[in-house]
Amino acid sequence: MSSSPPPLGTGPPTDEEINYYYTPMFSWETVKDQVDSGDLGNLKRHPAMQIRYDKWIAETAAVHGSIVAYLINVRLGWGPTETRPATPASHANPTYTDVQGHTDSKTLGLPTPPSTRPLTPSLNPPEYFTADIDPKYVKILPNDWPYSIPTSVKHFVFWTRVPIIHPAIVSPKIWKRIEKDGLWGFTGSDRVAEPKSLPGEDDSEETLQLVRDAHKETHKFVLENWPEDIWEVAWFVNPPRLQSIPGLAHGHVFARKK
Protein backbone atom coordinates (compact mmCIF):
# COMPACT_ATOMS: atom_id res chain seq x y z
CA MET A 1 0.00 0.00 0.00
CA SER A 2 1.52 3.29 -1.11
CA SER A 3 1.85 6.18 1.32
CA SER A 4 -0.18 9.34 0.85
CA PRO A 5 1.48 12.36 -0.77
CA PRO A 6 2.81 14.84 1.81
CA PRO A 7 0.97 18.18 2.07
CA LEU A 8 2.37 20.66 -0.45
CA GLY A 9 3.25 23.89 1.31
CA THR A 10 4.28 27.33 0.09
CA GLY A 11 7.34 28.04 2.23
CA PRO A 12 10.72 26.27 2.32
CA PRO A 13 10.06 22.63 1.36
CA THR A 14 10.36 19.74 3.77
CA ASP A 15 12.52 16.71 3.00
CA GLU A 16 9.33 14.76 2.40
CA GLU A 17 8.12 17.29 -0.18
CA ILE A 18 11.49 17.32 -1.94
CA ASN A 19 11.55 13.54 -2.12
CA TYR A 20 7.99 13.29 -3.43
CA TYR A 21 7.44 16.32 -5.68
CA TYR A 22 10.88 17.46 -6.88
CA THR A 23 12.73 14.64 -8.64
CA PRO A 24 16.48 15.40 -8.75
CA MET A 25 17.72 16.62 -12.15
CA PHE A 26 21.44 16.28 -11.42
CA SER A 27 23.53 13.30 -10.38
CA TRP A 28 26.31 13.61 -7.80
CA GLU A 29 28.91 13.30 -10.56
CA THR A 30 27.23 16.11 -12.49
CA VAL A 31 27.27 18.34 -9.41
CA LYS A 32 31.02 17.78 -8.98
CA ASP A 33 31.66 18.36 -12.68
CA GLN A 34 29.77 21.67 -12.60
CA VAL A 35 31.65 22.86 -9.52
CA ASP A 36 34.96 21.95 -11.16
CA SER A 37 34.05 23.61 -14.46
CA GLY A 38 33.03 26.88 -12.82
CA ASP A 39 29.84 26.88 -14.90
CA LEU A 40 27.66 27.06 -11.80
CA GLY A 41 24.74 28.70 -13.58
CA ASN A 42 23.75 25.23 -14.75
CA LEU A 43 23.11 24.06 -11.19
CA LYS A 44 19.50 25.00 -10.58
CA ARG A 45 16.43 24.20 -8.54
CA HIS A 46 13.69 21.98 -9.85
CA PRO A 47 11.47 24.22 -12.08
CA ALA A 48 8.40 23.64 -9.87
CA MET A 49 10.39 24.52 -6.76
CA GLN A 50 11.74 27.64 -8.49
CA ILE A 51 8.18 28.92 -9.03
CA ARG A 52 7.40 28.31 -5.37
CA TYR A 53 10.68 29.99 -4.38
CA ASP A 54 10.02 33.11 -6.48
CA LYS A 55 6.64 33.63 -4.83
CA TRP A 56 8.09 33.09 -1.36
CA ILE A 57 10.89 35.56 -2.09
CA ALA A 58 8.41 38.27 -3.09
CA GLU A 59 6.28 37.76 0.02
CA THR A 60 9.26 37.56 2.37
CA ALA A 61 10.83 40.71 0.94
CA ALA A 62 7.48 42.48 1.42
CA VAL A 63 7.38 41.54 5.08
CA HIS A 64 11.01 42.26 5.94
CA GLY A 65 11.87 45.05 3.51
CA SER A 66 14.35 42.92 1.59
CA ILE A 67 15.68 39.40 1.46
CA VAL A 68 18.96 40.70 2.91
CA ALA A 69 17.11 42.03 5.96
CA TYR A 70 15.26 38.73 6.40
CA LEU A 71 18.47 36.76 6.11
CA ILE A 72 20.42 38.88 8.57
CA ASN A 73 17.65 39.59 11.08
CA VAL A 74 15.85 36.25 11.06
CA ARG A 75 17.61 33.36 9.35
CA LEU A 76 21.10 34.15 10.64
CA GLY A 77 19.98 35.79 13.86
CA TRP A 78 22.44 38.64 13.43
CA GLY A 79 19.76 41.31 13.57
CA PRO A 80 17.49 42.88 16.20
CA THR A 81 16.19 40.60 18.91
CA GLU A 82 12.79 42.26 19.35
CA THR A 83 9.64 40.60 18.00
CA ARG A 84 9.82 40.18 14.24
CA PRO A 85 7.02 39.86 11.68
CA ALA A 86 5.95 36.36 10.78
CA THR A 87 7.60 34.87 7.73
CA PRO A 88 5.20 33.80 4.95
CA ALA A 89 4.21 30.14 5.23
CA SER A 90 5.43 29.99 8.82
CA HIS A 91 1.89 28.97 9.87
CA ALA A 92 1.56 32.15 11.92
CA ASN A 93 -0.93 34.94 11.34
CA PRO A 94 -1.26 37.09 9.38
CA THR A 95 -1.29 35.29 6.06
CA TYR A 96 -0.22 37.00 2.86
CA THR A 97 -1.74 37.12 -0.59
CA ASP A 98 -0.88 38.98 -3.75
CA VAL A 99 -2.60 42.30 -4.30
CA GLN A 100 -3.11 42.70 -8.04
CA GLY A 101 -0.05 40.56 -8.61
CA HIS A 102 2.20 42.60 -6.30
CA THR A 103 3.45 42.01 -2.77
CA ASP A 104 4.79 45.20 -1.28
CA SER A 105 4.54 46.34 2.34
CA LYS A 106 2.39 49.38 1.63
CA THR A 107 -0.36 47.66 -0.34
CA LEU A 108 -0.48 44.76 2.12
CA GLY A 109 -0.59 47.04 5.16
CA LEU A 110 2.34 45.24 6.77
CA PRO A 111 4.42 46.52 9.69
CA THR A 112 7.51 48.61 9.05
CA PRO A 113 10.39 46.20 8.33
CA PRO A 114 12.93 45.84 11.16
CA SER A 115 16.23 47.64 10.83
CA THR A 116 19.31 45.63 9.92
CA ARG A 117 22.05 45.33 12.50
CA PRO A 118 25.53 46.11 11.11
CA LEU A 119 27.11 42.91 9.82
CA THR A 120 30.27 43.36 11.84
CA PRO A 121 30.03 44.05 15.60
CA SER A 122 32.16 46.91 16.92
CA LEU A 123 34.71 44.65 18.59
CA ASN A 124 37.73 44.67 16.32
CA PRO A 125 36.69 41.93 13.85
CA PRO A 126 39.24 40.10 11.70
CA GLU A 127 39.97 41.49 8.25
CA TYR A 128 39.13 38.32 6.42
CA PHE A 129 37.87 34.75 6.76
CA THR A 130 40.10 32.02 8.16
CA ALA A 131 39.49 28.38 9.04
CA ASP A 132 39.71 29.13 12.77
CA ILE A 133 37.51 32.23 12.69
CA ASP A 134 35.55 33.02 15.85
CA PRO A 135 32.10 31.35 15.61
CA LYS A 136 30.32 34.69 16.07
CA TYR A 137 31.47 35.66 12.58
CA VAL A 138 30.28 32.54 10.76
CA LYS A 139 27.19 30.33 10.61
CA ILE A 140 26.51 27.10 8.72
CA LEU A 141 22.93 26.54 7.60
CA PRO A 142 21.21 24.04 5.33
CA ASN A 143 20.06 25.66 2.11
CA ASP A 144 16.30 26.08 2.63
CA TRP A 145 15.80 25.99 -1.14
CA PRO A 146 18.34 23.42 -2.36
CA TYR A 147 19.36 22.83 -5.95
CA SER A 148 17.91 19.81 -7.74
CA ILE A 149 20.46 17.33 -6.42
CA PRO A 150 20.19 13.73 -5.18
CA THR A 151 18.54 13.38 -1.78
CA SER A 152 21.71 11.69 -0.53
CA VAL A 153 23.57 15.00 -1.07
CA LYS A 154 22.99 17.80 1.43
CA HIS A 155 23.31 21.43 0.33
CA PHE A 156 24.74 23.72 3.02
CA VAL A 157 25.69 27.40 2.96
CA PHE A 158 28.24 28.93 5.30
CA TRP A 159 27.74 32.64 5.89
CA THR A 160 30.36 34.98 7.30
CA ARG A 161 30.44 38.62 8.35
CA VAL A 162 33.93 39.13 6.91
CA PRO A 163 35.30 38.73 3.36
CA ILE A 164 36.33 35.27 2.17
CA ILE A 165 38.19 36.65 -0.86
CA HIS A 166 40.53 39.37 0.37
CA PRO A 167 43.77 41.01 -0.87
CA ALA A 168 45.60 39.82 2.24
CA ILE A 169 45.30 36.20 1.09
CA VAL A 170 44.91 36.65 -2.68
CA SER A 171 48.07 37.94 -4.33
CA PRO A 172 47.66 40.88 -6.77
CA LYS A 173 49.33 38.62 -9.31
CA ILE A 174 46.31 36.28 -9.35
CA TRP A 175 43.52 38.67 -8.28
CA LYS A 176 42.03 38.82 -11.78
CA ARG A 177 41.94 35.04 -11.98
CA ILE A 178 40.19 34.65 -8.60
CA GLU A 179 37.87 37.53 -9.46
CA LYS A 180 36.80 35.55 -12.51
CA ASP A 181 36.68 32.02 -11.09
CA GLY A 182 36.14 32.36 -7.34
CA LEU A 183 37.23 29.50 -5.09
CA TRP A 184 36.29 25.82 -5.20
CA GLY A 185 37.49 22.45 -4.07
CA PHE A 186 36.81 18.83 -3.14
CA THR A 187 37.38 16.79 -0.01
CA GLY A 188 36.90 13.16 0.92
CA SER A 189 37.77 11.86 -2.56
CA ASP A 190 40.63 11.63 -5.04
CA ARG A 191 39.26 14.56 -7.03
CA VAL A 192 41.52 17.62 -7.08
CA ALA A 193 40.51 21.15 -8.04
CA GLU A 194 42.97 22.27 -10.68
CA PRO A 195 43.66 26.02 -11.02
CA LYS A 196 42.14 27.53 -14.16
CA SER A 197 43.98 30.00 -16.34
CA LEU A 198 43.02 32.93 -18.51
CA PRO A 199 44.36 33.29 -22.07
CA GLY A 200 47.82 34.80 -21.98
CA GLU A 201 48.21 34.37 -18.23
CA ASP A 202 51.34 33.19 -16.49
CA ASP A 203 50.94 29.54 -15.61
CA SER A 204 54.25 29.09 -13.86
CA GLU A 205 54.38 26.81 -10.83
CA GLU A 206 54.83 29.90 -8.66
CA THR A 207 51.57 31.38 -9.95
CA LEU A 208 49.65 28.13 -9.61
CA GLN A 209 50.87 27.86 -6.02
CA LEU A 210 49.51 31.33 -5.30
CA VAL A 211 46.13 30.14 -6.57
CA ARG A 212 46.27 27.08 -4.32
CA ASP A 213 47.24 29.28 -1.37
CA ALA A 214 44.18 31.48 -1.95
CA HIS A 215 41.98 28.40 -1.43
CA LYS A 216 43.70 27.14 1.72
CA GLU A 217 41.67 28.77 4.50
CA THR A 218 38.29 27.88 3.02
CA HIS A 219 39.47 24.36 2.23
CA LYS A 220 40.62 23.89 5.83
CA PHE A 221 37.29 25.22 7.10
CA VAL A 222 35.42 22.67 4.99
CA LEU A 223 37.66 19.82 6.19
CA GLU A 224 37.13 20.79 9.82
CA ASN A 225 33.35 20.97 9.53
CA TRP A 226 32.79 18.06 7.14
CA PRO A 227 35.50 15.51 8.09
CA GLU A 228 36.65 13.62 5.01
CA ASP A 229 36.42 10.23 6.72
CA ILE A 230 32.65 10.84 6.95
CA TRP A 231 31.81 13.15 4.04
CA GLU A 232 32.61 13.55 0.36
CA VAL A 233 32.31 17.25 -0.45
CA ALA A 234 32.30 19.67 -3.37
CA TRP A 235 32.39 23.33 -2.34
CA PHE A 236 32.62 26.74 -3.99
CA VAL A 237 32.67 30.45 -3.22
CA ASN A 238 31.42 32.73 -5.96
CA PRO A 239 33.78 35.51 -7.07
CA PRO A 240 32.91 38.96 -5.68
CA ARG A 241 31.29 40.09 -8.94
CA LEU A 242 28.75 37.23 -8.74
CA GLN A 243 27.93 37.33 -5.05
CA SER A 244 24.21 37.89 -4.66
CA ILE A 245 24.44 39.66 -1.30
CA PRO A 246 27.28 42.22 -1.19
CA GLY A 247 28.82 42.58 2.24
CA LEU A 248 27.69 39.13 3.36
CA ALA A 249 30.13 36.59 1.98
CA HIS A 250 29.11 32.96 1.73
CA GLY A 251 30.11 29.63 0.28
CA HIS A 252 28.18 26.60 -0.90
CA VAL A 253 28.90 23.06 0.29
CA PHE A 254 27.48 19.91 -1.30
CA ALA A 255 28.13 17.02 1.05
CA ARG A 256 27.37 13.31 0.74
CA LYS A 257 27.91 10.89 3.59
CA LYS A 258 30.14 7.97 2.75
Side-chain angles (χ1 to χ4, degrees), residues 20-32:
Y20 191 89
Y21 296 107
Y22 307 115
T23 304
M25 299 188 300
F26 307 113
S27 69
W28 178 223
E29 289 303 315
T30 299
V31 172
K32 291 186 287 185

Side-chain angles (χ1 to χ4, degrees), residues 29 221 245:
E29 289 303 315
F221 177 82
I245 304 177

Side-chain angles (χ1 to χ4, degrees), residues 16-17 55 90 132 158 195 198 214 218:
E16 291 76 16
E17 288 178 274
K55 180 175 174 56
S90 65
D132 60 353
F158 63 92
L198 294 172
T218 305

